[in-house]
Tab-separated table of all heavy atoms in Angstrom:
chain	number	residue	atom	x	y	z
A	1	PRO	N	376.109	285.674	243.420
A	1	PRO	CA	375.790	286.146	242.068
A	1	PRO	C	375.610	287.663	242.055
A	1	PRO	O	375.101	288.250	243.015
A	1	PRO	CB	374.480	285.407	241.753
A	1	PRO	CG	374.525	284.176	242.608
A	1	PRO	CD	375.194	284.618	243.874
A	2	VAL	N	376.018	288.297	240.963
A	2	VAL	CA	376.035	289.762	240.912
A	2	VAL	C	374.647	290.382	241.009
A	2	VAL	O	374.499	291.506	241.493
A	2	VAL	CB	376.753	290.256	239.637
A	2	VAL	CG1	378.219	289.879	239.664
A	2	VAL	CG2	376.086	289.702	238.371
A	3	ASP	N	373.616	289.673	240.554
A	3	ASP	CA	372.251	290.196	240.651
A	3	ASP	C	371.436	289.471	241.721
A	3	ASP	O	370.213	289.611	241.774
A	3	ASP	CB	371.535	290.063	239.295
A	3	ASP	CG	372.153	290.963	238.235
A	3	ASP	OD1	372.731	292.003	238.590
A	3	ASP	OD2	372.072	290.615	237.038
A	4	GLY	N	372.103	288.702	242.567
A	4	GLY	CA	371.412	287.969	243.616
A	4	GLY	C	371.401	288.735	244.923
A	4	GLY	O	372.025	289.791	245.061
A	5	ASP	N	370.715	288.200	245.921
A	5	ASP	CA	370.607	288.862	247.211
A	5	ASP	C	371.057	287.957	248.360
A	5	ASP	O	370.718	288.190	249.513
A	5	ASP	CB	369.174	289.336	247.457
A	5	ASP	CG	368.168	288.196	247.382
A	5	ASP	OD1	368.580	287.046	247.170
A	5	ASP	OD2	366.958	288.461	247.533
A	6	ARG	N	371.833	286.902	248.055
A	6	ARG	CA	372.286	285.999	249.103
A	6	ARG	C	373.610	285.349	248.704
A	6	ARG	O	373.985	285.335	247.525
A	6	ARG	CB	371.253	284.906	249.362
A	6	ARG	CG	370.900	284.078	248.142
A	6	ARG	CD	370.147	282.798	248.489
A	6	ARG	NE	370.994	281.805	249.134
A	6	ARG	CZ	370.687	280.503	249.209
A	6	ARG	NH1	369.538	280.070	248.728
A	6	ARG	NH2	371.506	279.656	249.791
A	7	ASP	N	374.303	284.854	249.717
A	7	ASP	CA	375.528	284.093	249.497
A	7	ASP	C	375.195	282.608	249.433
A	7	ASP	O	374.323	282.123	250.169
A	7	ASP	CB	376.521	284.327	250.631
A	7	ASP	CG	377.097	285.724	250.629
A	7	ASP	OD1	377.068	286.376	249.569
A	7	ASP	OD2	377.571	286.169	251.689
A	8	PHE	N	375.908	281.880	248.581
A	8	PHE	CA	375.773	280.434	248.496
A	8	PHE	C	377.061	279.828	249.067
A	8	PHE	O	378.147	280.046	248.534
A	8	PHE	CB	375.557	279.993	247.048
A	8	PHE	CG	374.222	280.414	246.503
A	8	PHE	CD1	374.051	281.690	245.977
A	8	PHE	CD2	373.135	279.557	246.532
A	8	PHE	CE1	372.814	282.095	245.478
A	8	PHE	CE2	371.900	279.946	246.041
A	8	PHE	CZ	371.737	281.223	245.514
A	9	ILE	N	376.932	279.103	250.160
A	9	ILE	CA	378.077	278.515	250.837
A	9	ILE	C	378.266	277.094	250.325
A	9	ILE	O	377.390	276.235	250.480
A	9	ILE	CB	377.883	278.535	252.359
A	9	ILE	CG1	377.741	279.986	252.839
A	9	ILE	CG2	379.063	277.860	253.059
A	9	ILE	CD1	377.437	280.124	254.315
A	10	LEU	N	379.408	276.853	249.693
A	10	LEU	CA	379.702	275.572	249.045
A	10	LEU	C	380.855	274.915	249.786
A	10	LEU	O	381.981	275.403	249.760
A	10	LEU	CB	380.069	275.801	247.578
A	10	LEU	CG	379.072	276.647	246.765
A	10	LEU	CD1	379.647	276.973	245.396
A	10	LEU	CD2	377.735	275.941	246.639
A	11	THR	N	380.564	273.808	250.460
A	11	THR	CA	381.555	273.125	251.280
A	11	THR	C	381.954	271.801	250.641
A	11	THR	O	381.119	271.062	250.133
A	11	THR	CB	381.007	272.884	252.695
A	11	THR	OG1	380.674	274.153	253.280
A	11	THR	CG2	382.041	272.204	253.579
A	12	GLU	N	383.231	271.532	250.663
A	12	GLU	CA	383.806	270.346	250.013
A	12	GLU	C	383.075	269.044	250.382
A	12	GLU	O	382.579	268.917	251.496
A	12	GLU	CB	385.261	270.197	250.429
A	12	GLU	CG	385.387	270.003	251.947
A	12	GLU	CD	386.730	269.450	252.363
A	12	GLU	OE1	387.165	268.420	251.828
A	12	GLU	OE2	387.330	270.073	253.242
A	13	PRO	N	383.105	268.054	249.491
A	13	PRO	CA	383.332	268.191	248.044
A	13	PRO	C	382.025	268.584	247.383
A	13	PRO	O	380.980	268.010	247.684
A	13	PRO	CB	383.764	266.781	247.637
A	13	PRO	CG	383.017	265.887	248.585
A	13	PRO	CD	382.882	266.652	249.882
A	14	VAL	N	382.076	269.558	246.502
A	14	VAL	CA	380.844	270.025	245.884
A	14	VAL	C	381.156	270.643	244.523
A	14	VAL	O	382.251	271.155	244.294
A	14	VAL	CB	380.134	271.059	246.792
A	14	VAL	CG1	380.960	272.331	246.896
A	14	VAL	CG2	378.720	271.372	246.313
A	15	TYR	N	380.180	270.559	243.624
A	15	TYR	CA	380.247	271.237	242.329
A	15	TYR	C	378.979	272.061	242.187
A	15	TYR	O	377.878	271.602	242.518
A	15	TYR	CB	380.337	270.232	241.186
A	15	TYR	CG	380.131	270.861	239.824
A	15	TYR	CD1	381.149	271.589	239.220
A	15	TYR	CD2	378.915	270.735	239.165
A	15	TYR	CE1	380.955	272.180	237.980
A	15	TYR	CE2	378.717	271.315	237.921
A	15	TYR	CZ	379.735	272.037	237.329
A	15	TYR	OH	379.542	272.623	236.107
A	16	ALA	N	379.118	273.310	241.709
A	16	ALA	CA	377.956	274.174	241.528
A	16	ALA	C	378.112	275.006	240.264
A	16	ALA	O	379.237	275.287	239.825
A	16	ALA	CB	377.769	275.090	242.739
A	17	GLU	N	376.980	275.399	239.715
A	17	GLU	CA	376.934	276.291	238.560
A	17	GLU	C	376.171	277.548	238.957
A	17	GLU	O	375.050	277.462	239.464
A	17	GLU	CB	376.258	275.597	237.377
A	17	GLU	CG	377.028	274.374	236.899
A	17	GLU	CD	376.349	273.660	235.731
A	17	GLU	OE1	375.182	273.990	235.443
A	17	GLU	OE2	376.994	272.781	235.136
A	18	CYS	N	376.809	278.711	238.733
A	18	CYS	CA	376.211	279.994	239.114
A	18	CYS	C	375.926	280.837	237.876
A	18	CYS	O	376.770	280.924	236.968
A	18	CYS	CB	377.139	280.770	240.041
A	18	CYS	SG	377.536	279.938	241.593
A	19	ASP	N	374.745	281.460	237.849
A	19	ASP	CA	374.467	282.491	236.862
A	19	ASP	C	374.363	283.819	237.613
A	19	ASP	O	374.833	283.932	238.745
A	19	ASP	CB	373.212	282.166	236.041
A	19	ASP	CG	371.974	281.972	236.905
A	19	ASP	OD1	371.905	282.560	238.014
A	19	ASP	OD2	371.054	281.246	236.477
A	20	ARG	N	373.757	284.827	237.017
A	20	ARG	CA	373.755	286.150	237.624
A	20	ARG	C	372.835	286.265	238.835
A	20	ARG	O	372.904	287.245	239.588
A	20	ARG	CB	373.367	287.208	236.581
A	20	ARG	CG	374.352	287.321	235.427
A	20	ARG	CD	373.934	288.432	234.470
A	20	ARG	NE	374.083	289.745	235.077
A	20	ARG	CZ	375.192	290.477	235.028
A	20	ARG	NH1	376.276	290.015	234.413
A	20	ARG	NH2	375.231	291.671	235.606
A	21	THR	N	371.964	285.282	239.060
A	21	THR	CA	371.005	285.387	240.162
A	21	THR	C	371.089	284.269	241.186
A	21	THR	O	370.685	284.450	242.333
A	21	THR	CB	369.557	285.436	239.623
A	21	THR	OG1	369.304	284.241	238.871
A	21	THR	CG2	369.351	286.659	238.737
A	22	THR	N	371.607	283.088	240.815
A	22	THR	CA	371.579	281.966	241.745
A	22	THR	C	372.694	280.969	241.450
A	22	THR	O	373.335	281.040	240.389
A	22	THR	CB	370.209	281.250	241.675
A	22	THR	OG1	370.105	280.321	242.760
A	22	THR	CG2	370.041	280.520	240.352
A	23	CYS	N	372.920	280.052	242.390
A	23	CYS	CA	373.862	278.950	242.221
A	23	CYS	C	373.135	277.642	242.494
A	23	CYS	O	372.300	277.569	243.399
A	23	CYS	CB	375.039	279.074	243.186
A	23	CYS	SG	376.101	280.516	242.921
A	24	ARG	N	373.460	276.616	241.708
A	24	ARG	CA	372.818	275.315	241.873
A	24	ARG	C	373.893	274.243	241.989
A	24	ARG	O	374.784	274.160	241.143
A	24	ARG	CB	371.930	274.980	240.673
A	24	ARG	CG	370.900	276.037	240.317
A	24	ARG	CD	370.207	275.696	238.998
A	24	ARG	NE	369.496	276.822	238.449
A	24	ARG	CZ	370.052	277.802	237.756
A	24	ARG	NH1	371.363	277.770	237.524
A	24	ARG	NH2	369.334	278.797	237.294
A	25	GLU	N	373.786	273.410	243.019
A	25	GLU	CA	374.667	272.263	243.141
A	25	GLU	C	374.157	271.151	242.239
A	25	GLU	O	372.951	270.903	242.165
A	25	GLU	CB	374.715	271.783	244.595
A	25	GLU	CG	375.340	272.808	245.536
A	25	GLU	CD	375.473	272.278	246.950
A	25	GLU	OE1	375.541	271.034	247.108
A	25	GLU	OE2	375.497	273.098	247.889
A	26	THR	N	375.074	270.497	241.530
A	26	THR	CA	374.669	269.455	240.597
A	26	THR	C	375.812	268.450	240.438
A	26	THR	O	376.858	268.571	241.073
A	26	THR	CB	374.271	270.069	239.240
A	26	THR	OG1	373.791	269.047	238.375
A	26	THR	CG2	375.449	270.783	238.593
A	27	TRP	N	375.608	267.458	239.586
A	27	TRP	CA	376.602	266.421	239.375
A	27	TRP	C	377.818	267.004	238.664
A	27	TRP	O	377.680	267.695	237.660
A	27	TRP	CB	376.003	265.278	238.556
A	27	TRP	CG	376.924	264.094	238.443
A	27	TRP	CD1	377.706	263.758	237.374
A	27	TRP	CD2	377.170	263.109	239.439
A	27	TRP	NE1	378.434	262.631	237.637
A	27	TRP	CE2	378.125	262.198	238.908
A	27	TRP	CE3	376.699	262.892	240.726
A	27	TRP	CZ2	378.605	261.098	239.624
A	27	TRP	CZ3	377.170	261.796	241.438
A	27	TRP	CH2	378.107	260.912	240.890
A	28	PRO	N	379.032	266.732	239.171
A	28	PRO	CA	380.220	267.389	238.590
A	28	PRO	C	380.652	266.791	237.261
A	28	PRO	O	380.784	265.572	237.137
A	28	PRO	CB	381.296	267.155	239.659
A	28	PRO	CG	380.866	265.915	240.368
A	28	PRO	CD	379.362	265.940	240.361
A	29	PRO	N	380.906	267.635	236.274
A	29	PRO	CA	381.527	267.175	235.016
A	29	PRO	C	383.030	267.049	235.222
A	29	PRO	O	383.553	267.403	236.282
A	29	PRO	CB	381.189	268.307	234.045
A	29	PRO	CG	381.169	269.521	234.917
A	29	PRO	CD	380.619	269.073	236.251
A	30	PRO	N	383.768	266.541	234.242
A	30	PRO	CA	385.235	266.487	234.360
A	30	PRO	C	385.826	267.877	234.562
A	30	PRO	O	385.310	268.865	234.032
A	30	PRO	CB	385.673	265.885	233.020
A	30	PRO	CG	384.475	265.160	232.510
A	30	PRO	CD	383.291	265.948	232.985
A	31	LYS	N	386.892	267.945	235.315
A	31	LYS	CA	387.555	269.223	235.548
A	31	LYS	C	388.318	269.660	234.297
A	31	LYS	O	388.621	268.841	233.432
A	31	LYS	CB	388.503	269.103	236.744
A	31	LYS	CG	387.762	268.935	238.060
A	31	LYS	CD	388.722	268.713	239.203
A	31	LYS	CE	387.931	268.493	240.491
A	31	LYS	NZ	388.817	268.096	241.606
A	32	PRO	N	388.617	270.945	234.198
A	32	PRO	CA	389.329	271.446	233.009
A	32	PRO	C	390.671	270.749	232.813
A	32	PRO	O	391.333	270.334	233.771
A	32	PRO	CB	389.517	272.931	233.327
A	32	PRO	CG	388.418	273.256	234.286
A	32	PRO	CD	388.239	272.032	235.120
A	33	ILE	N	391.065	270.621	231.558
A	33	ILE	CA	392.350	270.020	231.196
A	33	ILE	C	393.450	271.077	231.285
A	33	ILE	O	393.271	272.213	230.838
A	33	ILE	CB	392.291	269.434	229.777
A	33	ILE	CG1	391.298	268.267	229.733
A	33	ILE	CG2	393.670	268.977	229.309
A	33	ILE	CD1	391.051	267.735	228.335
A	34	VAL	N	394.592	270.711	231.857
A	34	VAL	CA	395.742	271.616	231.916
A	34	VAL	C	396.968	270.892	231.363
A	34	VAL	O	396.999	269.668	231.276
A	34	VAL	CB	396.012	272.103	233.351
A	34	VAL	CG1	394.871	272.978	233.834
A	34	VAL	CG2	396.227	270.927	234.299
A	35	PHE	N	397.963	271.672	230.965
A	35	PHE	CA	399.197	271.169	230.361
A	35	PHE	C	398.900	270.172	229.226
A	35	PHE	O	399.356	269.031	229.237
A	35	PHE	CB	400.097	270.507	231.412
A	35	PHE	CG	400.629	271.480	232.424
A	35	PHE	CD1	400.110	271.519	233.706
A	35	PHE	CD2	401.651	272.367	232.083
A	35	PHE	CE1	400.591	272.425	234.644
A	35	PHE	CE2	402.138	273.271	233.021
A	35	PHE	CZ	401.606	273.301	234.303
A	36	PRO	N	398.111	270.603	228.229
A	36	PRO	CA	397.831	269.705	227.099
A	36	PRO	C	399.100	269.439	226.291
A	36	PRO	O	400.035	270.246	226.279
A	36	PRO	CB	396.810	270.495	226.266
A	36	PRO	CG	397.126	271.926	226.568
A	36	PRO	CD	397.533	271.946	228.020
A	37	ARG	N	399.127	268.314	225.625
A	37	ARG	CA	400.279	267.981	224.785
A	37	ARG	C	400.334	268.943	223.608
A	37	ARG	O	399.359	269.129	222.887
A	37	ARG	CB	400.159	266.543	224.278
A	37	ARG	CG	401.309	266.116	223.377
A	37	ARG	CD	401.150	264.694	222.906
A	37	ARG	NE	402.204	264.314	221.974
A	37	ARG	CZ	402.181	264.581	220.669
A	37	ARG	NH1	401.136	265.204	220.143
A	37	ARG	NH2	403.181	264.224	219.888
């Protein structure tokens, strides 16, 4: 994070949400949709 002081190492399979100070691992939502009709 740009205002944080550490790296967050995320190893497969994992989902995380990062703000300007920290990252949190949590339950994954659906992935983004691509090639919509």
